[in-house]
Amino acid sequence: MVGDLGKIREVKMTVLIETFYSDLRKAKEGKFAVFLGAGSSYDYGIPTMEEMATMLLDEFKSKEKTTVFDDKSKEVLRAVLGLSDEKKPEKKSSAEQTQKWNIEDLLTRLQRIIDATEEGNPNFPNVTPSIAGKTFSKDEIVSAESKLIEFMVRCYQLDAAKKTTHGDKSVEYLSNFLEFIGEFHNSISIFTTNNDLCIEAAIMRLSQRQKSLKKKEFYLVDGFSHGILPTFSISNFSQILPSSSNKVVVYLWKLHGSIDWVFFNPIDQSQNPRGDSNTQKHIFDDESIICRNIDRNSLKEFQDACALSKDVVFDNAKIMIFPTPSKYSQTFNAPYMDLYQAFRRTLEAIELLVVIGTSFPDGHVNSAIKSFLSRDSSIIYTVDPNLKKEDVCKRLGNCKGIQPIIQFGFKDFINEMQKIEASKEEDEEGRKDE
């Protein structure tokens, strides 16, 4: 009986994927988009938020010098988590025993504490936080937050997959996904809240194929200019590339930033270009310039040549990631506001959205998708092995455009689509031979 139910479910999923395949092929150029959540990188091997929490606890126990945390940062984080003092041989705390929190929860908690300790408001006295009976300065908590983000950046690196038991450590499945869509669309818009570099690596893989294969060429447009030090501008998404049936342009919008983004202060023309920068503060604002995070030695050479601001302290360059869905207010800062508005504008123009590997945790993203679904012509397909349609409806509302959930992992979903495509091609070849 159980086996029969499994077969019935498999048939239903196959029919659903075939329906999606048909809708995707019928979609007009520029009338569909892809949204990738954390689950889309799971099959590669990027750690989940829960796995990062476990890795963090292991980091606390590590005596290696390679750890990103200093003793004070560890002390702050352990206090926030309610962990027992490392020096006391006590039983494990509830945070260690159950570990119902994830790394994102911890970062959110830290940021809320920092917000509560805001100084300089003449209407209210300053707040000095006491956490688990210990008092910390705001600077110590801010430093712990910075170290935690640095730790998360390491967890998002491609080589972090070596520390996880899932995924096959290859971006081939992502390349297959892009190549599959590229067979019948020459423009692919991808939006993601992921900070990792899996999509960039997948497009790199496509660019390294043998020319003799006569495959389509893939071009990445991600908001950055060309050159030794690419810089970000929302206007770069508007660049018009040569139109060709043999070229596929992938527009990648990273709504929450990326581990390879850093910001630099602009060159202040009023200052002596060779002036001392020791007194300058590295503060991010709308005038900041977002750049690729390239080799520090190369950056220092450019700075010495007066090509970069003397303000920049490269060891402390701010990584441009926005990893907590609770910090909705950050979406009103550059470049996140521009990226989010582009997401909303795209949803206003398309008819089909495929969402992969997310449980819809981000309120601002959900708000845009709700507006998209308010139109009668809008359709959304969700690919996730752990979601049910009622889960999605709780987040987005009970809209008729929400299709049944394709309960596959991303890699398995791609394999199923490739099977359908191969079957269609065989049928076409058969008809030609008749």
Side-chain angles (χ1 to χ4, degrees), residues 370-384:
K370 285 178 183 179
S371 296
F372 163 73
L373 288 170
S374 67
R375 304 197 313 268
D376 291 338
S377 59
S378 297
I379 298 176
I380 182 172
Y381 283 92
T382 304
V383 181
D384 192 288

Side-chain angles (χ1 to χ4, degrees), residues 105-354:
D105 298 331
L106 175 58
L107 188 57
T108 298
R109 183 69 170 169
L110 270 178
Q111 291 173 336
R112 285 174 175 166
I113 294 172
I114 292 170
D115 288 343
T117 59
E118 179 188 1
E119 299 174 352
N121 190 323
N123 300 314
F124 302 101
N126 292 340
V127 175
T128 302
S130 176
I131 307 169
K134 298 181 179 180
T135 300
F136 300 100
S137 69
K138 181 176 180 179
D139 287 343
E140 289 171 339
I141 299 172
V142 169
S143 177
E145 179 206 32
S146 177
K147 293 294 184 182
L148 183 59
I149 290 177
E150 185 179 345
F151 170 77
M152 292 176 69
V153 167
R154 289 193 181 189
C155 291
Y156 284 126
Q157 299 289 348
L158 293 173
D159 64 358
K162 298 175 183 177
K163 300 178 181 179
T164 59
T165 57
H166 56 82
D168 58 9
K169 327 308 177 193
S170 169
V171 295
E172 182 178 4
Y173 73 100
L174 287 166
S175 295
N176 290 342
F177 175 69
L178 295 171
E179 192 169 30
F180 169 77
I181 296 178
E183 284 300 312
F184 40 91
H185 286 288
N186 289 329
S187 174
I188 308 172
S189 292
I190 298 178
F191 295 86
T192 183
T193 49
N194 295 348
N195 308 121
D196 60 62
L197 302 177
C198 287
I199 290 294
E200 291 91 333
I203 295 173
M204 181 184 292
R205 175 186 169 87
L206 290 171
S207 71
Q208 299 302 306
R209 295 175 301 183
Q210 293 177 337
K211 293 182 179 179
S212 60
L213 294 177
K214 296 182 179 179
K215 296 284 188 177
K216 286 190 175 182
E217 299 176 15
F218 282 75
Y219 295 86
L220 176 64
V221 177
D222 60 359
F224 281 86
S225 62
H226 300 288
I228 296 177
L229 182 60
T231 57
F232 181 88
S233 172
I234 204 71
S235 63
N236 288 331
F237 284 102
S238 302
Q239 60 180 294
I240 300 175
L241 297 178
S243 178
S244 170
S245 60
N246 195 46
K247 295 180 179 178
V248 180
V249 182
V250 179
Y251 295 91
L252 179 61
W253 311 77
K254 302 188 86 167
L255 301 177
H256 287 180
S258 179
I259 60 172
D260 67 336
W261 296 13
V262 293
F263 72 74
F264 297 152
N265 285 349
I267 294 175
D268 188 342
Q269 301 293 344
S270 65
Q271 295 179 6
N272 180 346
R274 297 188 181 276
D276 183 7
S277 64
N278 292 335
T279 59
Q280 302 297 321
K281 290 186 177 180
H282 187 57
I283 301 173
F284 175 71
D285 57 30
D286 285 347
E287 289 297 314
S288 297
I289 299 169
I290 300 168
C291 300
R292 287 274 192 239
N293 190 8
I294 67 172
D295 177 68
R296 289 293 194 267
N297 291 330
S298 296
L299 289 174
K300 186 63 173 65
E301 289 182 10
F302 289 130
Q303 190 179 51
D304 290 343
C306 300
L308 297 175
S309 171
K310 294 294 182 179
D311 276 358
V312 182
V313 181
F314 298 119
D315 290 341
N316 299 319
K318 179 73 171 176
I319 299 292
M320 291 295 298
I321 65 171
F322 162 53
T324 54
S326 65
K327 273 208 118 179
Y328 185 86
S329 61
Q330 283 194 8
T331 61
F332 295 102
N333 296 331
Y336 305 116
M337 172 59 83
D338 291 334
L339 292 165
Y340 177 61
Q341 287 180 339
F343 181 49
R344 292 197 74 109
R345 286 195 303 270
T346 298
L347 292 183
E348 290 171 1
I350 67 171
E351 297 173 355
L352 172 63
L353 176 67
V354 54

